[in-house]
Amino acid sequence: MTTSDLVLKFRAPDRPGIMAAVAPTLAARGCDIREAEVYGDDDTGGFFLRMALTSPIGRDELAKVVEPVASELALEWELHDLARRTPVLLAVSKFGHCLIDIIHKKEIGQLPIDIVGVVSNHETMRKTAEWHGLAYHHLPMSEGKEAQEARFLSIIGESGAELTVLARYMQILSDSFSEALAGRCINIHHSFLPSFKGAKPYHQAHGRGVKIIGATAHFVTADLDEGPIIEQDVRRVSHRTTADEMVAIGCEIEASVLSRAVRWYAEHRIFQNGNKTVVL
């Protein structure tokens, strides 16, 4: 018998009986729950669930079964077929470590995504992208931010990208651009912020003798580098660590943190919860 691997995720006002209502509905249609994780937020009164299941019926037919229960329970819900990979558009400037890491992990099957192209304000990473068979869109800032971002949004729409990943794309986005991509754009940056802004942050950190360096992946919002955090990691360093070694360590952390955030998004694990995220 052919089955579909699906993910059901939802949020709702927390109350007793939500799982008791949902699980029998799925079981009655022959669904097998393979993984389930829940979280109840005492601060907001929200209930979050991600459920991986196999189903003898397809995504669209099962959605019709879930809809009446979801409506009765006031669920904000999504049902995804894991056979369908998330279309992702990557954006980069001159530093390619995050871009290359995502491309590599996609190619070896570690990221369930389809890369639909690469956008950049520089030509630096064109050869790398095109060597991997990816469309490369050069959007120089010389045409002005408004026109450049309009072209960027047009490419997102034409490519069918459901997620835009700023893989060290070193441009400050306008409020309107950020709002247009709310919940659909992930950025990576070093975790020194708000300290050591500007050029060569790791060299600045070395000059101050920091002992921990790290990276943060977050959703993009109009508040620069302050969107809901998805993932973070850190590494200890010492007085013996040179500035160039800090840069190398920082690149490793940035790449791994960003790729995890992208994977969790593609696996439908992330919920925005106000200014925070819940990752199940």
Side-chain angles (χ1 to χ4, degrees):
M1 180 177 66
T2 302
T3 59
S4 300
D5 292 320
L6 307 176
V7 166
L8 173 65
K9 60 180 290 193
F10 63 75
R11 73 174 75 200
D14 199 359
R15 59 170 174 161
I18 296 176
M19 286 290 290
V22 173
T25 301
L26 299 173
R29 298 310 299 261
C31 296
D32 184 12
I33 299 173
R34 308 300 296 168
E35 175 188 341
E37 189 169 358
V38 301
Y39 172 68
D41 188 340
D42 291 336
D43 293 332
T44 65
F47 178 80
F48 303 83
L49 175 141
R50 179 189 184 272
M51 181 184 294
L53 52 92
T54 58
S55 171
I57 60 177
R59 184 263 169 208
D60 292 345
E61 187 175 348
L62 186 60
K64 296 176 183 177
V65 174
V66 173
E67 170 61 38
V69 178
S71 179
E72 180 180 348
L73 296 173
L75 306 184
E76 297 178 32
W77 65 287
E78 302 171 11
L79 184 63
H80 299 276
D81 189 335
L82 291 179
R84 180 183 181 276
R85 295 175 174 269
T86 302
V88 174
L89 182 68
L90 304 176
V92 66
S93 288
K94 292 183 176 181
F95 300 106
H97 52 284
C98 291
L99 174 78
I100 293 168
D101 185 71
I102 290 173
I103 292 173
H104 173 66
K105 287 177 177 172
K106 185 270 178 187
E107 290 184 345
I108 65 174
Q110 291 187 4
L111 288 178
I113 64 174
D114 284 327
I115 301 173
V116 297
V118 177
V119 166
S120 181
N121 55 321
H122 295 281
E123 290 280 9
T124 310
M125 299 307 301
R126 177 182 289 277
K127 288 184 179 179
T128 298
E130 293 182 345
W131 189 87
H132 288 276
L134 300 174
Y136 193 83
H137 307 276
H138 180 216
L139 305 181
M141 299 307 298
S142 58
E143 58 190 65
K145 178 178 285 290
E146 184 175 351
Q148 194 261 8
E149 288 190 341
R151 288 185 60 198
F152 197 159
L153 287 173
S154 177
I155 291 168
I156 292 171
E158 292 167 2
S159 68
E162 296 175 6
L163 175 66
T164 300
V165 178
L166 308 184
R168 290 302 302 271
Y169 178 70
M170 308 303 289
Q171 287 294 314
I172 297 175
L173 305 178
S174 68
D175 290 355
S176 59
F177 187 94
S178 299
E179 290 165 2
L181 295 181
R184 300 186 295 120
C185 186
I186 295 175
N187 185 37
I188 185 74
H189 62 74
H190 62 78
S191 289
F192 299 132
L193 296 174
S195 300
F196 312 135
K197 294 180 180 180
K200 295 189 173 182
Y202 292 102
H203 289 75
Q204 295 180 52
H206 179 265
R208 291 289 301 275
V210 302
K211 298 298 185 283
I212 294 177
I213 60 177
T216 296
H218 63 92
F219 282 115
V220 168
T221 65
D223 295 323
L224 179 64
D225 292 328
E226 294 185 11
I229 294 170
I230 301 169
E231 172 64 333
Q232 294 178 299
D233 203 357
V234 296
R235 191 88 57 84
R236 292 200 64 85
V237 294
S238 75
H239 58 277
R240 293 184 175 87
T241 310
T242 68
D244 288 342
E245 288 171 339
M246 282 191 179
V247 172
I249 294 169
C251 287
E252 291 177 4
I253 303 171
E254 289 170 3
S256 63
V257 166
L258 182 58
S259 67
R260 285 198 296 273
V262 171
R263 176 166 57 85
W264 293 342
Y265 187 98
E267 291 175 346
H268 314 291
R269 296 182 180 275
I270 306 171
F271 297 82
Q272 289 199 59
N273 186 24
N275 293 324
K276 304 184 292 184
T277 65
V278 172
V279 182
L280 299 179

